Amino acid sequence: THDPDNANSLSSNRIFDLELDSSGNIWMSTIKGVNKFNPDSQSVERFLHEPNNPNSLSYNTSWSLDIDSTGRVWIATSGKGLDVLDPQTGEFDHYNHDPEDPNTLNTSSVTDIFVDSKNQIWVGTGGGLNLYQPESDNFKRFPFSSDNPHSLNNSTVANIHEDSKGHLWVGTTKGANVLDTETHEVLK
C-alpha cells in the first residue's frame, strides 16, 4: 500500500492495471506513476515523471500497461501518449500523436495497451485503435468511420483482449468489435 512517509511504498493506492513479468514482478499503473513490486524482496521501484528528464515517464497518470516478449513495459498515459520502458536501462521511449504524420498515434490520449499472442502491440486511444509496426517504429491506425462498415463502431477504445481463435476484441464506448489480426478487418 501507499505510505506517504515511505518512498519504498507504492506511489498510489489508485491502481488501474496490473501485469506480471517473466521474473514474477508485478507492474502497476497508477494515478501517480508506474510501480514494480518484487514479491520475493517485498520491494517497490517507482517510475515517475521527472520534468527535466526526457528519459522518465512522460506523465504520472497511467491507465494501462502490458509487457512484450522482450520484457519492455508499454504504458498508456493520460494525454501524454504511449511510453515504453526498457527495464534493463530504466529509460523510456515516447510516442505521441502528430497531426502532420498519419503514422503516429491517432491521439495522445491512450486508454489501453494489449500485447497479443503474436507479440503485436495494440494501442487503444480516444481516437481509435493503433498497431505498433516495429520494422518502421510507427503505427497503423484503425479509426472509426461511419462510411466504412468494416471500421470500429466508435473511436473511443476502452479495452482490448484476444480470444482463443486469435481474434482481437475491442471494447469501445458503443459496444464490442471483433478484429481479425491477420487481415486487420473488423468482423463485428
Side-chain angles (χ1 to χ4, degrees):
T1 63
H2 172 66
D3 177 351
D5 299 322
N6 181 356
N8 294 315
S9 70
L10 296 179
S11 59
S12 172
N13 285 330
R14 292 186 63 194
I15 298 169
F16 300 117
D17 199 8
L18 302 162
E19 290 292 333
L20 185 68
D21 70 17
S22 61
S23 299
N25 297 305
I26 301 168
W27 291 82
M28 303 171 213
S29 60
T30 78
I31 199 157
K32 291 186 180 176
V34 171
N35 297 263
K36 180 177 83 170
F37 175 69
N38 181 318
D40 295 331
S41 65
Q42 294 290 297
S43 62
V44 173
E45 184 176 0
R46 295 176 178 182
F47 297 88
L48 304 171
H49 173 64
E50 299 168 31
N52 297 319
N53 181 358
N55 288 315
S56 73
L57 190 65
S58 64
Y59 192 70
N60 279 333
T61 301
S62 58
W63 300 121
S64 174
L65 53 82
D66 208 344
I67 302 166
D68 69 19
S69 64
T70 67
R72 292 179 303 172
V73 182
W74 296 74
I75 303 162
T77 70
S78 178
K80 295 290 184 176
L82 173 69
D83 286 359
V84 183
L85 170 65
D86 181 338
Q88 301 302 316
T89 65
E91 294 190 353
F92 288 86
D93 288 323
H94 308 286
Y95 297 94
N96 286 288
H97 170 68
D98 178 349
E100 304 299 317
D101 186 349
N103 296 309
T104 62
L105 294 170
N106 50 19
T107 180
S108 289
S109 178
V110 181
T111 54
D112 197 25
I113 308 288
F114 184 75
V115 179
D116 72 16
S117 60
K118 298 175 189 131
N119 204 43
Q120 296 181 107
I121 314 298
W122 297 92
V123 182
T125 71
L129 184 67
N130 302 264
L131 173 61
Y132 178 67
Q133 301 181 111
E135 61 283 345
S136 53
D137 195 34
N138 62 23
F139 295 88
K140 178 179 180 179
R141 296 177 181 177
F142 297 84
F144 162 71
S145 171
S146 59
D147 298 333
N148 181 357
H150 297 289
S151 78
L152 296 177
N153 63 4
N154 185 267
S155 61
T156 304
V157 173
N159 211 311
I160 308 165
H161 284 282
E162 184 177 17
D163 67 20
S164 61
K165 296 177 182 170
H167 294 136
L168 208 64
W169 286 75
V170 181
T172 72
T173 55
K174 297 274 181 155
N177 300 263
V178 181
L179 182 89
D180 184 317
T181 57
E182 294 292 327
T183 65
H184 295 162
E185 185 172 293
V186 174
L187 307 173
K188 298 264 182 198

